[in-house]
């Protein structure tokens, strides 16, 4: 019912695989109106501490399935997979157990030197990274940028809904420095930051 609203094949595959791998062995042969909080705990407890992110997403997916079953009148009562029901009293919040690992970052005071080094570097990857820094944009947004997204007169980059994680059009003001970078790139391919074959750069280009 919801698959058409999901943005990519990877998300669809993960939805199905997590339910099959973790929920299937416990819930697979039960009728939806027989599933209890105890059954949900049997699914979640083995991975709740070691794989908190997976467990949290799995719980949400089970909740949606059972919510659908309730809407279709295949079951009644409270949703046993809802966090705000019994589960919040029976399991620790994932935020309290999940170890946060921050990405390595350049100290902000060193950014001018990084930009200076990038200006001296050859290659489209360096230009893409400079543009990313100047626009504070996601890597995927920069690498997927096409020429028709840019309003040079208005000095704005308009990223369409289809390319935004939030599902809303995003307008990025462009500084003179950002405009200079893209104005000096040949317009011989659909993507602004492209390889020799005219295709979009890979994430590896930015990492390098």
């Amino acid at each position: 019912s919801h698959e058409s609203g999901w943005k990519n094949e990877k998300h669809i595959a993960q939805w199905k695989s997590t339910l099959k791998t973790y929920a299937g062995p416990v819930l697979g042969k039960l009728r939806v109106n027989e599933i209890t909080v105890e059954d949900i705990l049997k699914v979640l407890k083995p991975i709740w501490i070691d794989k908190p992110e997976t467990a949290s997403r799995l719980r949400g997916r089970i909740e949606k399935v059972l919510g659908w079953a309730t809407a279709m009148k295949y079951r009644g009562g409270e949703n046993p997979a809802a966090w705000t029901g019994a589960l919040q009293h029976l399991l620790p919040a994932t935020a309290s157990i999940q170890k946060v690992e921050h990405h390595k970052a350049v100290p902000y005071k060193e950014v001018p030197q990084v930009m200076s080094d990038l200006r001296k570097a050859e290659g489209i990857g360096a230009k893409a990274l400079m543009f990313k820094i100047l626009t504070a944009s996601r890597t995927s947004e920069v690498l997927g940028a096409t020429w028709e997204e840019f309003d040079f007169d208005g000095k704005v980059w308009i990223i369409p809904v289809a390319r935004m994680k939030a599902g809303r059009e995003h307008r990025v003001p462009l500084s003179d420095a950002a405009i200079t970078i893209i104005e000096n790139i040949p317009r011989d391919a659909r993507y602004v930051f492209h390889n020799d074959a005219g295709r979009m750069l890979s994430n590896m280009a930015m990492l390098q």
Side-chain angles (χ1 to χ4, degrees):
S1 296
H2 290 274
E3 193 169 319
S4 62
W6 295 338
K7 293 186 177 180
N8 58 62
E9 293 296 325
K10 183 179 178 182
H11 180 71
I12 295 170
Q14 286 176 338
W15 236 90
K16 295 176 179 178
S17 66
T18 51
L19 288 173
K20 181 178 180 181
T21 301
Y22 300 108
V26 177
L27 307 179
K29 294 183 179 180
L30 296 176
R31 295 171 63 89
V32 288
N33 63 339
E34 297 173 345
I35 295 173
T36 65
V37 172
E38 288 74 20
D39 296 317
I40 302 300
L41 286 172
K42 287 178 185 176
V43 173
L44 298 178
K45 271 192 169 181
I47 61 171
W48 194 258
I49 302 298
D50 295 334
K51 300 178 180 179
E53 185 174 350
T54 298
S56 180
R57 290 179 179 177
L58 174 63
R59 183 208 59 74
R61 289 164 186 169
I62 297 171
E63 181 182 7
K64 282 193 187 311
V65 172
L66 296 182
W68 177 90
T70 301
M72 294 296 292
K73 300 190 181 342
Y74 295 142
R75 62 167 288 125
E78 293 184 5
N79 191 321
W83 177 251
T84 53
L87 292 181
Q88 66 178 330
H89 304 294
L90 300 171
L91 293 168
T94 52
S96 68
I97 58 175
Q98 194 165 9
K99 183 180 178 182
V100 176
E101 293 185 7
H102 296 288
H103 294 292
K104 290 182 180 179
V106 175
Y108 75 91
K109 290 182 179 179
E110 296 179 19
V111 171
Q113 183 60 52
V114 170
M115 291 294 283
S116 177
D117 293 342
L118 286 170
R119 288 189 193 98
K120 299 171 188 174
E122 294 183 3
I124 194 73
K127 291 182 174 65
L129 183 53
M130 282 193 291
F131 187 77
K132 172 181 164 64
I133 292 169
L134 289 168
T135 57
S137 300
R138 288 189 174 92
T139 297
S140 60
E141 293 163 6
V142 172
L143 297 183
T146 58
W147 290 107
E148 60 266 25
E149 294 176 0
F150 290 90
D151 175 1
F152 289 101
D153 292 331
K155 292 186 175 183
V156 64
W157 173 27
I158 305 169
I159 309 175
V161 173
R163 295 213 305 113
M164 289 302 299
K165 187 176 181 180
R168 296 193 304 273
E169 180 183 274
H170 186 51
R171 302 173 74 88
V172 183
L174 295 174
S175 63
D176 290 341
I179 290 174
T180 298
I181 289 171
I182 51 180
E183 281 186 336
N184 287 312
I185 296 174
R187 300 192 189 189
D188 54 1
R190 181 187 175 211
Y191 295 104
V192 177
F193 302 102
H194 58 274
N195 59 22
D196 292 339
R199 291 193 291 269
M200 180 173 66
L201 291 181
S202 68
N203 286 353
M204 186 57 65
M206 194 80 83
L207 290 172
Q208 289 174 341

